[in-house]
Amino acid sequence: MSKDVFQAIADPTRRQIIDLLAGQSLPVNDVAEKFDMSRPAVSKHLKILNECGLVIIKQQGRKRFCRADTRKLQDVMEWTQRYRKFWNEKLDTLEVLLNDIDETSS
């Protein structure tokens, strides 16, 4: 069963891993060195990111290389767009209300 992208990015360490791998492919050990936690802990994070499709892991010789595949983040962007529209409308309404209050108190 694949993991949910939203669950994967809920963890700050996994978001940092995605950021780290967004512009480069790195061996698992190099990724683990960037974090103040054990290599097995980083490997668990990478496994979750791999299961939801945010990180691709490929074996090259004796090393496993990781790279980010951010296409799945499109789901997150589409979901947040709905709320951006909602809040923009609410904030526009609030601005009009505050301007009306400001005009009547002047």
Side-chain angles (χ1 to χ4, degrees):
M1 184 169 115
S2 67
K3 300 282 185 189
D4 182 81
V5 173
F6 292 92
Q7 289 175 326
I9 64 170
D11 185 279
T13 299
R14 290 194 286 268
R15 290 193 305 268
Q16 288 177 323
I17 291 170
I18 293 168
D19 288 345
L20 176 66
L21 297 173
Q24 60 188 335
S25 179
L26 291 174
V28 172
N29 286 335
D30 290 3
V31 174
E33 288 175 2
K34 305 282 186 188
F35 296 91
D36 189 24
M37 63 181 67
S38 68
R39 187 190 181 287
V42 172
S43 289
K44 284 183 181 182
H45 285 297
L46 286 168
K47 180 180 178 185
I48 291 168
L49 291 169
N50 180 253
E51 288 174 353
C52 73
L54 286 170
V55 167
I56 307 300
I57 301 173
K58 292 199 177 185
Q59 190 80 31
Q60 291 182 351
R62 295 181 60 162
K63 291 186 177 184
R64 292 176 21 185
F65 282 82
C66 309
R67 69 174 174 81
D69 185 358
T70 56
R71 291 178 292 179
K72 289 284 252 175
L73 291 175
Q74 183 69 29
D75 297 342
V76 176
M77 192 174 80
E78 289 170 5
W79 183 78
T80 57
Q81 277 302 108
R82 287 184 281 162
Y83 292 96
R84 175 179 284 166
K85 182 178 182 230
F86 170 82
W87 282 110
N88 281 340
E89 290 172 0
K90 295 294 182 190
L91 291 172
D92 288 347
T93 302
L94 178 61
E95 181 181 27
V96 169
L97 177 64
L98 292 174
N99 285 337
D100 287 349
I101 291 172
D102 190 42
E103 288 175 8
T104 58
S105 65
S106 299

